[in-house]
Amino acid sequence: GNSDPLYVIDGVIVSNNTTNVSQIAVDGGGASLGTNRLVDINPKDIESVTIINGAAAAAQYGSRAANGVVLITTKRGKSGKPEITFTTSVSMNELRKRVPITTYGKQFGSAALRLHTIANDANNQSTVTVLGRKLATNQVNVRRFDYQDIIFDKGIGTENNLSIGGGNDKTRYFASLGYTKNEGIIKNTDFQRVNL
């Protein structure tokens, strides 16, 4: 079953369910890459996060809170002159460590073996017997590829946020606009979010 906690944002329970799959190799059926719905919230708009667990969570929210509650409170306007805030950031995303893959153009046996595990090669004249198996000792030319060059890429991420807040003793206001674009290190996995 689902082990997620219950998420409550400014008193409203948020559904974090998605019907989409979470793996990239999707085959047919119209399914697409799943996304956690909490990603819709702009982190710059969060004032505080409170965790409630155990009996206290169940007492307040019932059986839905069996795995705890995450209370998220967003920012609100404060009395005083209008306060305008603008932030921007740029980030670089890249693969931290590549998997070592040989691209050496030689192989024992025949070129047809390049896609298979080491096996008994009884038909080959140049063999050595190891643990009862005849393994080839001759080398043949093969072409190998490091697919990491094709799959992975460097990505640039940008985040821009503009907010205005203020008010007086009777009325307070807060509004924000945010735009995030993050290029993934795997091609076609970019993330883009616009918040108002």
Side-chain angles (χ1 to χ4, degrees):
N2 192 344
S3 61
D4 283 355
L6 184 67
Y7 293 95
V8 181
I9 302 174
D10 292 334
V12 177
I13 295 173
V14 176
S15 173
N16 198 29
N17 294 333
T18 179
T19 57
N20 296 337
V21 297
S22 59
Q23 79 166 318
I24 296 173
V26 178
D27 185 22
S32 61
L33 190 62
T35 302
N36 181 318
R37 290 295 22 110
L38 290 176
V39 78
D40 295 334
I41 302 171
N42 184 353
K44 298 285 186 187
D45 289 343
I46 295 175
E47 182 73 32
S48 66
V49 177
T50 305
I51 309 297
I52 304 174
N53 56 18
Q60 291 181 34
Y61 294 97
S63 62
R64 294 180 294 178
N67 297 319
V69 177
V70 177
L71 293 175
I72 300 173
T73 306
T74 58
K75 293 181 179 177
R76 299 165 193 263
K78 297 176 181 158
S79 296
K81 292 182 179 179
E83 184 178 316
I84 298 173
T85 305
F86 176 74
T87 60
T88 186
S89 65
V90 178
S91 62
M92 174 69 77
N93 307 312
E94 62 183 331
L95 186 65
R96 188 180 67 83
K97 186 175 181 182
R98 293 171 61 109
V99 175
I101 294 176
T102 181
T103 54
Y104 182 63
K106 298 282 185 185
Q107 174 182 296
F108 291 109
S110 66
L113 292 174
R114 74 184 185 281
L115 299 176
H116 304 283
T117 57
I118 297 174
N120 197 23
D121 195 1
N123 298 330
N124 195 326
Q125 299 300 317
S126 302
T127 60
V128 63
T129 302
V130 177
L131 298 174
R133 289 180 166 229
K134 290 188 172 184
L135 302 178
T137 58
N138 63 311
Q139 290 189 357
V140 293
N141 293 327
V142 291
R143 187 168 180 194
R144 300 186 188 212
F145 301 93
D146 184 353
Y147 291 107
Q148 295 174 102
D149 295 331
I150 299 168
I151 296 170
F152 298 108
D153 203 357
K154 287 186 180 179
I156 295 176
T158 59
E159 183 176 358
N160 300 290
N161 293 288
L162 175 66
S163 67
I164 182 168
N168 53 38
D169 294 338
K170 295 182 180 180
T171 306
R172 292 178 296 168
Y173 60 89
F174 180 82
S176 69
L177 175 65
Y179 175 73
T180 301
K181 173 138 191 216
N182 200 354
E183 296 174 349
I185 60 171
I186 298 176
K187 294 179 180 180
N188 298 321
T189 60
D190 295 356
F191 172 75
Q192 186 173 355
R193 177 182 63 215
V194 178
N195 292 94
L196 177 60

